[in-house]
Structure formats: structure tokens, C-alpha cells
Amino acid sequence: MDLGIKGKRALVCASSKGLGRGCAEALAEAGCDLILNARGAEELEKAASEIRAKYGVTVVAVAADITTEEGRAAVLKDAGDIDILVNNAGGPPPGMWSDWEREDFIKALDANMLTPIALMKTLVPSMMDRGWGRVVNITSQSVKSPIGVLGLSNSARAGLTGYVAGTSRQVAGTGVTINNLLPGIHATDRAVSLDGGVAKAQGITSEEAKVQRCKTIPAGRYGTADEFGATCAFLCSTHAAFIVGQNILHDGGGVNATF
Ligand code: NAP
């Protein structure tokens, strides 16, 4: 299917690997020019040159911490007009509800709520002026079904979800759509690290922790960054113009709910 976004400029935050990388690849395959971002310059440059070579699109790589004001300024400095914004950052660490202090919450809010809001506030107005734009926020299945040990993520992402619910409907009339894409478990470094935490807590191997977790997913496996990226690219396509303010699970059926 032609996604109708060839030549659009997409900023994909936190995209040297994992889900962000999957989104970047799918948008590049659809013909978008990219701005990629991550903190680690080496892995980011490697991702940028691989994508350039594979899809023949323009890729600018900006190594910066997207959760800081300076980092966002560096990413936006020469970004020009952005048509597609994919918001993403690392997820907060797991822990126990009674251990988190104010500072832990501020960090989580900065990364997973206030950063995407700041980028939307900066970039959506020019999308509205041009009459077309797409925003996809990578959040988590924990928005629909809380994961106890990820209380910082549950909290911060719920805040972003509330903001998007109202804002997306305010801007939809200008041709700009904002939606959230909610990953369940995907085979990325983040999943490996969470499996490592479970293994340590339960005295089992990481592989056993993975097998145990796969049993909780009706699809019987972890998702892939490619599948996730393809769904993101569809949400950014011309075909998805009528999808507004939605929270779309990509979880292999992991969240057991009717709606
Ligand atoms: P990942 O494989 O660890 O990749 C994270 C990517 O983000 C890397 O490119 C990393 O590069 C970059 N990054 C992290 N912090 C950053 C920052 N502050 N500024 C700029 N770039 C940053 O993680 P993932 O699995 O793709 O997860 C992406 C998001 O989805 C996370 O918020 C995660 O909590 C959420 N999620 C993931 C899953 C899953 O199963 N994978 C499930 C639910 C939710 P650098 O380290 O070099 O910066």
C-alpha cells in the first residue's frame, strides 16, 4: 500500500534502536526524510547510515537527551518544518510503589509526559498552518492495564494520555492527527532488561522469565519492532486521517479487555 507520505519530514525521537528505530525504518520505507535522535552518538550514526543506505532518504542524526530542554533545542535547531512527529524516550525503571520519591516522579513526568507535550506545543502549530500533520506518541499498554512494578510509567503516561485526549480533538479540524500507540511486550533491549529484573527477583533465568511472560500473551510471543513500526507508519499515512485521539494497543492480545 502506498502510504502517501513520500517526501514528508519526520522527527523520530529515541530511535537508534528498539521501537523508535522500527518506526524510523517504516517511515523511511514509505519515503519520508528523517531526523533521528538518541543520546549515544555512535549507535545513532550507525542507524542513520544504515537507513540512508537501505532506503535512499535523507537522514539527519542529532545525539541529545530528548528529555532535557537543551536536548530538544539541539534536535529542533536545524529541523525545519516537521510533518510527522513520533514521540518516544526511554521508560522509567521498575520498582515498588512505596519507594518512589518526588524526584523519581519528576524524572518520569519529564521523560514520558512533559517532553512529548513540549514537542507537540512546538511543532503542531506549524503543522496546523500547513494543514497537515501527524503525531504518534509511543506510550505503553500500562495506560490501559497497569503494571504494578512500572508505577512511574503508569502515572506519567496516563497524564500524557489525558492531554492527548483533549488536544487531539482541538487540532483535528486543521488536518493534524494525534494518536497514541501502546506497545505490549516487544523483543527490544527494554524487554530484555525487564526480563532480567524478573529473573533476579524470582531466582530464575532470563530465558525462563521470557517463557513465563510469553504465556501471558495470547499471541504466544513478543512483538517485533518492525511490526510496531509498520503500525506507526500507517497512523502517519494519508489513509489514517480520520483516526483521532485514539489509544491503539499493539500487544498480541496481552491486555484482556473488551474495549
Ligand atoms: P530500547 O530498545 O531500550 O530503545 C530505547 C531507544 O531510546 C534507544 O535508541 C535509546 O538510545 C533511546 N533513548 C533512551 N532514552 C533517551 C533519551 N532520554 N533521549 C534520547 N533518546 C533516548 O527501548 P524500547 O523497547 O524501544 O522502548 C521504547 C519506549 O517504549 C520506552 O519508553 C518503553 O518504556 C516503552 N515500552 C516498551 C515496551 C517493550 O516491550 N519494548 C513495552 C511497553 C512500553 P540511547 O540510550 O543512546 O539514548
Side-chain angles (χ1 to χ4, degrees):
M1 183 194 287
D2 177 359
L3 296 184
I5 50 177
K6 191 172 189 309
K8 299 282 188 197
R9 282 172 67 75
L11 165 57
V12 187
C13 303
S15 51
S16 63
K17 61 180 182 174
L19 303 180
R21 169 84 184 252
C23 296
E25 295 255 357
L27 289 168
E29 191 174 4
C32 294
D33 293 321
L34 299 179
I35 297 166
L36 296 190
N37 152 258
R39 292 162 304 179
E42 203 176 315
E43 194 153 357
L44 180 65
E45 284 302 336
K46 188 168 168 280
S49 55
E50 285 171 4
I51 291 175
R52 266 182 222 117
K54 191 165 174 193
Y55 304 103
V57 296
T58 302
V59 183
V60 175
V62 187
D65 184 341
I66 200 70
T67 69
T68 66
E69 223 173 292
E70 311 79 69
R72 289 190 290 277
V75 169
L76 294 176
K77 189 166 161 274
D78 300 315
D81 286 335
I82 298 292
D83 306 297
I84 294 170
L85 166 64
V86 179
N87 275 315
N88 186 31
M96 181 68 186
W97 65 270
S98 49
D99 290 342
W100 296 311
E101 302 297 344
R102 178 182 161 77
E103 271 318 300
D104 301 309
F105 281 100
I106 297 294
K107 261 192 218 152
L109 291 171
D110 258 340
N112 300 116
M113 178 185 173
L114 300 175
T115 290
I117 289 175
L119 288 168
M120 281 187 265
K121 273 190 73 183
T122 303
L123 296 175
V124 166
S126 65
M127 294 179 188
M128 293 167 76
D129 289 345
R130 295 195 304 281
W132 197 93
R134 296 284 183 269
V135 180
V136 174
N137 300 298
I138 300 180
T139 63
S140 172
Q141 68 178 4
S142 70
V143 168
K144 293 229 180 198
S145 174
I147 301 170
V149 293
L150 293 180
L152 293 171
S153 169
N154 300 338
S155 309
R157 296 188 199 280
L160 173 64
T161 304
Y163 176 86
V164 166
T167 305
S168 59
R169 289 166 170 89
Q170 286 175 293
V171 306
T174 66
V176 177
T177 71
I178 309 177
N179 291 286
N180 302 322
L181 190 49
L182 283 51
I185 307 306
H186 287 69
T188 68
D189 288 1
R190 166 86 172 163
V192 171
S193 118
L194 290 175
D195 284 344
V198 171
K200 205 169 153 202
Q202 298 185 8
I204 56 177
T205 65
S206 287
E207 195 44 45
E208 285 167 337
K210 182 175 176 181
V211 168
Q212 196 170 284
R213 200 135 68 123
C214 280
K215 288 189 184 142
T216 69
I217 305 169
R221 63 174 177 89
Y222 288 5
T224 69
D226 285 351
E227 292 168 322
F228 189 86
T231 308
C232 174
F234 176 75
L235 285 175
C236 295
S237 74
T238 50
H239 309 294
F242 210 51
I243 302 177
V244 170
Q246 297 304 300
N247 291 285
I248 296 168
L249 277 168
H250 192 267
D251 70 340
V255 170
N256 191 31
T258 304
F259 296 105

